[in-house]
Amino acid sequence: MASINPPICDFGWQAPDFNLPSIDGSMVSRDSSMGKNGLLVMFICNHCPYVKAILPRLINDVRELKTMGINAVVIMSNDPTDYQEDSFENMQRIAREMEFPFPYLLDKTQAVAKNYDAVCTPDFFGFNNKGELQYRGRFDESRKETAPNSTRDLFNAMKLVAETGAGPKIQISSIGCSIKWSES
């Protein structure tokens, strides 16, 4: 399981549209997800140790960001063939157990991940309310274990987006497991 770093923010890049099935059976689009002050699009999966290390804190941060007008969606784009933990049924189970405060979406064709140029889990895309990319960095300095007393990079960046419409100029790339691309 190789660690991958995505590129840093391409400020102003427009959020590609999507319309994906949620674990609850509804269809969720970019436009229906946009908050008053922005949207956080996150690519995650269930099996990744990087995601597991941050998930409880990520859930809490997203709840707090929602009060600031930032909505969020999480997208699972992995091919679950070799990682049964990433199956749709396990997506439903994890979301229920962790009480996800955001839609958990399945990108079965992996087209959305490719449109976003997502490369790893977790991979974060923070947009202002005009759909302009303002953050593509790390959650915090955690890796496969939680980094105690770390700065809330993602939270602070999205709070700034909510307040000003612009993200921080200095961003540190996320790190995670590569997206598991299908062979078809």
mmCIF file of all heavy atoms in Angstrom, residues 138-157:
data_model
loop_
_atom_site.group_PDB
_atom_site.id
_atom_site.type_symbol
_atom_site.label_atom_id
_atom_site.label_comp_id
_atom_site.label_asym_id
_atom_site.label_seq_id
_atom_site.Cartn_x
_atom_site.Cartn_y
_atom_site.Cartn_z
ATOM 1 N N ARG A 138 -3.803 18.849 3.244
ATOM 2 C CA ARG A 138 -3.967 17.767 4.210
ATOM 3 C C ARG A 138 -5.032 18.091 5.256
ATOM 4 O O ARG A 138 -5.389 19.265 5.446
ATOM 5 C CB ARG A 138 -2.641 17.476 4.901
ATOM 6 C CG ARG A 138 -2.171 18.612 5.808
ATOM 7 C CD ARG A 138 -0.807 18.325 6.366
ATOM 8 N NE ARG A 138 -0.442 19.348 7.353
ATOM 9 C CZ ARG A 138 0.704 19.353 8.001
ATOM 10 N NH1 ARG A 138 1.603 18.416 7.784
ATOM 11 N NH2 ARG A 138 0.957 20.306 8.885
ATOM 12 N N PHE A 139 -5.489 17.051 5.925
ATOM 13 C CA PHE A 139 -6.398 17.215 7.057
ATOM 14 C C PHE A 139 -5.628 17.851 8.215
ATOM 15 O O PHE A 139 -6.036 18.846 8.781
ATOM 16 C CB PHE A 139 -6.984 15.863 7.473
ATOM 17 C CG PHE A 139 -7.868 15.952 8.674
ATOM 18 C CD1 PHE A 139 -9.153 16.461 8.547
ATOM 19 C CD2 PHE A 139 -7.438 15.560 9.923
ATOM 20 C CE1 PHE A 139 -9.983 16.579 9.658
ATOM 21 C CE2 PHE A 139 -8.259 15.665 11.030
ATOM 22 C CZ PHE A 139 -9.526 16.177 10.898
ATOM 23 N N ASP A 140 -4.543 17.244 8.578
ATOM 24 C CA ASP A 140 -3.593 17.750 9.568
ATOM 25 C C ASP A 140 -2.312 16.953 9.373
ATOM 26 O O ASP A 140 -2.152 16.275 8.368
ATOM 27 C CB ASP A 140 -4.149 17.679 11.005
ATOM 28 C CG ASP A 140 -4.376 16.265 11.520
ATOM 29 O OD1 ASP A 140 -3.906 15.290 10.913
ATOM 30 O OD2 ASP A 140 -5.030 16.128 12.566
ATOM 31 N N GLU A 141 -1.404 16.998 10.316
ATOM 32 C CA GLU A 141 -0.126 16.304 10.131
ATOM 33 C C GLU A 141 -0.188 14.815 10.447
ATOM 34 O O GLU A 141 0.831 14.123 10.377
ATOM 35 C CB GLU A 141 0.963 16.981 10.956
ATOM 36 C CG GLU A 141 0.701 16.978 12.445
ATOM 37 C CD GLU A 141 1.644 17.891 13.202
ATOM 38 O OE1 GLU A 141 2.823 17.523 13.350
ATOM 39 O OE2 GLU A 141 1.191 18.958 13.633
ATOM 40 N N SER A 142 -1.371 14.280 10.744
ATOM 41 C CA SER A 142 -1.515 12.850 10.990
ATOM 42 C C SER A 142 -1.139 12.054 9.753
ATOM 43 O O SER A 142 -1.351 12.490 8.630
ATOM 44 C CB SER A 142 -2.962 12.506 11.362
ATOM 45 O OG SER A 142 -3.341 13.132 12.555
ATOM 46 N N ARG A 143 -0.618 10.893 9.995
ATOM 47 C CA ARG A 143 -0.362 9.942 8.912
ATOM 48 C C ARG A 143 -1.239 8.728 9.193
ATOM 49 O O ARG A 143 -2.434 8.853 9.242
ATOM 50 C CB ARG A 143 1.134 9.587 8.841
ATOM 51 C CG ARG A 143 2.012 10.794 8.485
ATOM 52 C CD ARG A 143 1.661 11.301 7.092
ATOM 53 N NE ARG A 143 2.546 12.359 6.667
ATOM 54 C CZ ARG A 143 2.154 13.568 6.341
ATOM 55 N NH1 ARG A 143 0.908 13.904 6.425
ATOM 56 N NH2 ARG A 143 3.012 14.460 5.916
ATOM 57 N N LYS A 144 -0.627 7.575 9.427
ATOM 58 C CA LYS A 144 -1.414 6.370 9.715
ATOM 59 C C LYS A 144 -1.818 6.298 11.179
ATOM 60 O O LYS A 144 -2.618 5.464 11.560
ATOM 61 C CB LYS A 144 -0.647 5.121 9.311
ATOM 62 C CG LYS A 144 -0.480 5.007 7.813
ATOM 63 C CD LYS A 144 0.259 3.744 7.450
ATOM 64 C CE LYS A 144 0.555 3.723 5.967
ATOM 65 N NZ LYS A 144 1.330 2.543 5.591
ATOM 66 N N GLU A 145 -1.266 7.166 11.982
ATOM 67 C CA GLU A 145 -1.674 7.318 13.376
ATOM 68 C C GLU A 145 -2.041 8.782 13.587
ATOM 69 O O GLU A 145 -1.515 9.665 12.922
ATOM 70 C CB GLU A 145 -0.546 6.937 14.358
ATOM 71 C CG GLU A 145 -0.196 5.457 14.371
ATOM 72 C CD GLU A 145 0.755 5.075 13.237
ATOM 73 O OE1 GLU A 145 1.536 5.940 12.807
ATOM 74 O OE2 GLU A 145 0.685 3.923 12.779
ATOM 75 N N THR A 146 -2.892 9.015 14.553
ATOM 76 C CA THR A 146 -3.300 10.380 14.860
ATOM 77 C C THR A 146 -2.126 11.161 15.427
ATOM 78 O O THR A 146 -1.438 10.679 16.324
ATOM 79 C CB THR A 146 -4.463 10.366 15.867
ATOM 80 O OG1 THR A 146 -5.552 9.669 15.273
ATOM 81 C CG2 THR A 146 -4.888 11.764 16.235
ATOM 82 N N ALA A 147 -1.885 12.341 14.909
ATOM 83 C CA ALA A 147 -0.850 13.228 15.438
ATOM 84 C C ALA A 147 -1.488 14.076 16.538
ATOM 85 O O ALA A 147 -2.366 14.894 16.258
ATOM 86 C CB ALA A 147 -0.286 14.115 14.340
ATOM 87 N N PRO A 148 -1.085 13.863 17.793
ATOM 88 C CA PRO A 148 -1.704 14.620 18.887
ATOM 89 C C PRO A 148 -1.398 16.119 18.794
ATOM 90 O O PRO A 148 -0.330 16.512 18.349
ATOM 91 C CB PRO A 148 -1.098 14.005 20.146
ATOM 92 C CG PRO A 148 0.116 13.273 19.706
ATOM 93 C CD PRO A 148 -0.034 12.965 18.249
ATOM 94 N N ASN A 149 -2.372 16.911 19.194
ATOM 95 C CA ASN A 149 -2.221 18.371 19.251
ATOM 96 C C ASN A 149 -1.792 18.985 17.928
ATOM 97 O O ASN A 149 -1.055 19.960 17.908
ATOM 98 C CB ASN A 149 -1.224 18.764 20.349
ATOM 99 C CG ASN A 149 -1.622 18.208 21.691
ATOM 100 O OD1 ASN A 149 -2.787 18.254 22.071
ATOM 101 N ND2 ASN A 149 -0.664 17.639 22.413
ATOM 102 N N SER A 150 -2.256 18.426 16.822
ATOM 103 C CA SER A 150 -1.858 18.959 15.524
ATOM 104 C C SER A 150 -2.796 20.093 15.101
ATOM 105 O O SER A 150 -3.936 20.181 15.544
ATOM 106 C CB SER A 150 -1.841 17.851 14.472
ATOM 107 O OG SER A 150 -3.101 17.255 14.367
ATOM 108 N N THR A 151 -2.296 20.950 14.234
ATOM 109 C CA THR A 151 -3.078 22.060 13.692
ATOM 110 C C THR A 151 -4.167 21.512 12.779
ATOM 111 O O THR A 151 -3.922 20.598 12.000
ATOM 112 C CB THR A 151 -2.163 23.000 12.893
ATOM 113 O OG1 THR A 151 -1.119 23.450 13.748
ATOM 114 C CG2 THR A 151 -2.927 24.195 12.359
ATOM 115 N N ARG A 152 -5.327 22.066 12.853
ATOM 116 C CA ARG A 152 -6.479 21.632 12.049
ATOM 117 C C ARG A 152 -6.412 22.297 10.672
ATOM 118 O O ARG A 152 -7.187 23.185 10.362
ATOM 119 C CB ARG A 152 -7.767 21.987 12.770
ATOM 120 C CG ARG A 152 -7.934 21.281 14.101
ATOM 121 C CD ARG A 152 -9.008 21.927 14.955
ATOM 122 N NE ARG A 152 -10.363 21.626 14.478
ATOM 123 C CZ ARG A 152 -11.450 22.199 14.978
ATOM 124 N NH1 ARG A 152 -11.371 23.106 15.941
ATOM 125 N NH2 ARG A 152 -12.644 21.880 14.516
ATOM 126 N N ASP A 153 -5.511 21.833 9.834
ATOM 127 C CA ASP A 153 -5.264 22.467 8.533
ATOM 128 C C ASP A 153 -6.543 22.572 7.692
ATOM 129 O O ASP A 153 -6.878 23.656 7.203
ATOM 130 C CB ASP A 153 -4.209 21.689 7.748
ATOM 131 C CG ASP A 153 -2.837 21.696 8.383
ATOM 132 O OD1 ASP A 153 -2.735 21.850 9.606
ATOM 133 O OD2 ASP A 153 -1.848 21.536 7.655
ATOM 134 N N LEU A 154 -7.218 21.455 7.465
ATOM 135 C CA LEU A 154 -8.424 21.455 6.637
ATOM 136 C C LEU A 154 -9.510 22.335 7.250
ATOM 137 O O LEU A 154 -10.106 23.170 6.567
ATOM 138 C CB LEU A 154 -8.944 20.028 6.451
ATOM 139 C CG LEU A 154 -10.258 19.883 5.688
ATOM 140 C CD1 LEU A 154 -10.096 20.277 4.230
ATOM 141 C CD2 LEU A 154 -10.802 18.466 5.808
ATOM 142 N N PHE A 155 -9.751 22.163 8.527
ATOM 143 C CA PHE A 155 -10.784 22.957 9.200
ATOM 144 C C PHE A 155 -10.476 24.450 9.089
ATOM 145 O O PHE A 155 -11.347 25.245 8.723
ATOM 146 C CB PHE A 155 -10.905 22.547 10.669
ATOM 147 C CG PHE A 155 -11.891 23.386 11.419
ATOM 148 C CD1 PHE A 155 -13.238 23.085 11.378
ATOM 149 C CD2 PHE A 155 -11.484 24.502 12.136
ATOM 150 C CE1 PHE A 155 -14.172 23.876 12.041
ATOM 151 C CE2 PHE A 155 -12.401 25.305 12.804
ATOM 152 C CZ PHE A 155 -13.746 24.988 12.761
ATOM 153 N N ASN A 156 -9.251 24.837 9.417
ATOM 154 C CA ASN A 156 -8.881 26.252 9.380
ATOM 155 C C ASN A 156 -8.974 26.823 7.969
ATOM 156 O O ASN A 156 -9.410 27.961 7.778
ATOM 157 C CB ASN A 156 -7.477 26.457 9.952
ATOM 158 C CG ASN A 156 -7.435 26.209 11.438
ATOM 159 O OD1 ASN A 156 -8.435 26.336 12.148
ATOM 160 N ND2 ASN A 156 -6.264 25.823 11.939
ATOM 161 N N ALA A 157 -8.595 26.023 6.967
ATOM 162 C CA ALA A 157 -8.686 26.479 5.577
ATOM 163 C C ALA A 157 -10.137 26.701 5.172
ATOM 164 O O ALA A 157 -10.473 27.730 4.571
ATOM 165 C CB ALA A 157 -8.030 25.466 4.652
#
